[in-house]
Amino acid sequence: QVQLVESGGGSVQPGGSLRLSCSVSEDIGGIYLLGWYRQSPGKEREVVAEADTYGWTDYGAFVKGRFTISRDDTKDSVYLSMNNLDVADTAVYYCRAKPSRLGGSIYWGLGTQVRVLG
């Protein structure tokens, strides 16, 4: 069972920056896909960014170059650097792990709140 613990959320002004961290309970070198998702009240959870073990990354269309996902195998952590935040980015941000490329279990953290003050 992979455990994920997010941190780094908070309240910022529009245009501000935050860096989210997700600490993973095991060696992330063995986890195929790590990602960040978000969910706002009344909306479905959506993908923000994903990164696999081979260096591939992908972002939601709304990111538009503002966010960067990174994996640090030495710290068993995945990060999301967010710049130029907008009120529309207000949401709970969740870390997600998909250990196997071929199906299998998916694990979620409990989330961290990001609030961009409007």
Side-chain angles (χ1 to χ4, degrees):
Q1 179 107 8
V2 178
Q3 296 181 339
L4 308 168
V5 179
E6 303 95 336
S7 61
S11 297
V12 296
Q13 297 289 334
S17 299
L18 283 174
R19 185 180 188 235
L20 305 183
S21 300
C22 174
S23 178
V24 185
S25 63
E26 60 183 63
D27 180 6
I28 69 169
I31 297 178
Y32 166 60
L33 191 65
L34 289 166
W36 289 94
Y37 283 64
R38 72 182 188 184
Q39 188 167 21
S40 305
K43 294 186 178 181
E44 293 187 358
R45 193 171 294 190
E46 60 181 350
V47 60
V48 179
E50 293 182 307
D52 73 6
T53 55
Y54 303 103
W56 171 87
T57 58
D58 195 25
Y59 296 88
F62 61 86
V63 170
K64 298 180 181 178
R66 301 179 299 136
F67 301 172
T68 302
I69 188 172
S70 59
R71 300 171 57 135
D72 188 339
D73 288 7
T74 66
K75 297 182 179 179
D76 292 326
S77 295
V78 58
Y79 305 98
L80 183 69
S81 296
M82 304 187 293
N83 298 312
N84 195 21
L85 285 161
D86 184 79
V87 172
D89 295 315
T90 295
V92 178
Y93 284 69
Y94 297 91
C95 185
R96 175 184 182 266
K98 186 176 185 296
S100 174
R101 182 180 179 186
L102 302 175
S105 299
I106 292 175
Y107 302 92
W108 294 91
L110 296 179
T112 184
Q113 176 74 54
V114 170
R115 190 170 285 111
V116 185
L117 305 173

